[in-house]
Each structure stands twice: as C-alpha cells, then as structure tokens.
Amino acid sequence: MSFYIQSLNHVNAISEIIKNRRSIFPKEYTGKKLEASIIENVLQNANFAPNHKSNYPWRFIVIEGDKLNTWLDECADIYLEETPSEKFNQEKLNKTLGYKQKISHAIAVVMHRDEKDKTIEKEDICAVACGVQNMYLTLSAYPNAAGYWSTGLGTYSKRMSDFLYLDEHDTLLGYFILGHVELKRSEANKRDYHNFVRYL
C-alpha cells in the first residue's frame, strides 16, 4: 500500500508541474542574469527528449553576455531590412531592442537533419519540440527562472541563419528566451481536454 501511495504522490506531483508550466514573456523579466547552472540543467534535460533512431536532431546555440546585444542588434536590422513599409511597426522594433535590458540568455533552437539517418522531418521537428518542453518543465524547479519559445526575431531569415553559422542541414525553429522574474504568473486559459479527445 505504501508503494502505491508513493507512486500516486509522484503522479500528482508530475501532473502539477505540467499543469503549472507557463510561457513567461520577456517583458516580464527583471534583467537579472540567471546562474550558469540553470542554463546547463535546462540543456541537459532537453537532451533527454525522445527521438527517432536516437538521432538527436536538436542543436542548441546559447547566446549570452555581449553576444546577446549583438544578436538583438542583428534581429533589429533584419526587421528593418525585411519588413515592408506598410507592415513596419516601430513599437515592435523598440520591444526587440528593449530586450537588452530584460533577458538573461537566449538559446537558438535548431533542427539538424542528417541524410544518412533517413529519418522523417516531421518526426525530427516533434523531437526538437519535446526537447523544448523539457526546458520548460525544468524551469519549474526554479521559482525565479522563466522561459518563452519565440519564433520571431528573424527566425525565418536567411541572414539570421548565416549569423548563427547554420548550414544546409540546419533549420532554425526559434529561440528559447530565458530571464529572471520576481514572481511567475499562475493563471492560465486552458480549455477542458475533453474538447479535443474522442474514442474509437
């Protein structure tokens, strides 16, 4: 009986971690730097995501220190260069440059395709996404560390791929942006799972 109760407690604890996972936006960050040990733990746990044929299709590029400002300047330049005048938004540009005072680290999330492995691209994308979810869940252990997966900031620009030294086997899937927060948000707008489930 004690083993059953212990197992049930573990299930409940895991469920609570999953239910309380939140994307915390960079505008909510304080600007304080996260400890290197937190970044290492996030990356280590991302590496435990499931992946077809154990091909490890993820590549993570950590952007920190002075490189963080250089990267954000590049993001701003790409926005200025590649945004049509009718879609240009000064507030969006200001927000990007304002991240210099907000975020601690950014991790470029890259899918790497090895033709020799003969894996399916959709499966590799799913594997990388599982790695990012592991990152999110890892942050649950830290009351003041938060993250947000962004697919903005020049993600789909050839110029950004060149900036990150990606080759023809790599696809940038966005950035996991990390920062310090005083208090994580707890509210969520989640619909009942029954809306998305049917049984045969």
Side-chain angles (χ1 to χ4, degrees):
M1 177 64 75
S2 61
F3 175 78
Y4 172 78
I5 293 174
Q6 186 178 22
S7 297
L8 187 60
N9 288 338
H10 286 163
V11 169
N12 290 337
I14 292 170
S15 294
E16 284 304 304
I17 289 172
I18 292 171
K19 290 175 183 177
N20 290 318
R21 185 206 66 78
R22 296 287 178 273
S23 289
I24 308 295
F25 302 115
K27 66 180 181 181
E28 301 174 68
Y29 300 168
T30 66
K32 293 181 182 178
K33 299 300 181 184
L34 298 178
E35 296 176 8
S37 60
I38 296 177
I39 308 304
E40 288 301 311
N41 196 16
V42 163
L43 293 167
Q44 183 181 45
N45 288 346
N47 200 53
F48 278 91
N51 53 106
H52 189 55
K53 293 186 178 180
S54 295
N55 67 325
Y56 296 87
W58 46 75
R59 300 291 184 272
F60 300 117
I61 303 171
V62 181
I63 307 170
E64 60 182 354
D66 293 339
K67 292 295 184 181
L68 201 60
N69 288 345
T70 304
W71 166 66
L72 287 168
D73 284 336
E74 186 72 10
C75 293
D77 287 346
I78 289 172
Y79 182 73
L80 284 168
E81 180 181 289
E82 300 184 5
T83 303
S85 57
E86 66 273 13
K87 293 185 177 180
F88 176 78
N89 185 320
Q90 185 65 47
E91 185 177 337
K92 184 173 182 178
L93 179 63
N94 292 343
K95 182 173 71 172
T96 297
L97 293 172
Y99 285 166
K100 292 180 180 182
Q101 285 75 49
K102 290 287 187 179
I103 68 178
S104 172
H105 294 70
I107 300 174
V109 178
V110 178
M111 176 185 65
H112 178 78
R113 299 274 297 154
D114 191 334
E115 295 176 358
K116 297 192 297 293
D117 286 338
K118 295 185 166 67
T119 56
I120 299 171
E121 184 177 16
K122 287 182 179 179
E123 292 179 350
D124 286 346
I125 292 173
C126 290
V128 176
C130 286
V132 174
Q133 178 72 337
N134 281 4
M135 291 178 166
Y136 268 120
L137 295 175
T138 300
L139 292 177
S140 301
Y142 304 98
N144 302 112
Y148 175 70
W149 188 2
S150 171
T151 53
L153 300 168
T155 292
Y156 304 112
S157 170
K158 172 66 167 57
R159 176 171 166 178
M160 182 56 73
S161 293
D162 292 340
F163 177 82
L164 295 171
Y165 301 105
L166 305 184
D167 63 27
E168 67 273 15
H169 302 295
D170 298 326
T171 302
L172 181 62
L173 299 180
Y175 313 92
F176 195 66
I177 300 175
L178 297 113
H180 175 278
V181 292
E182 294 294 348
L183 185 66
K184 291 184 181 180
R185 286 184 288 102
S186 59
E187 74 279 1
N189 183 24
K190 299 294 184 182
R191 297 168 63 184
D192 189 284
Y193 77 95
H194 290 100
N195 292 313
F196 316 107
V197 177
R198 64 186 179 94
Y199 297 88
L200 292 180

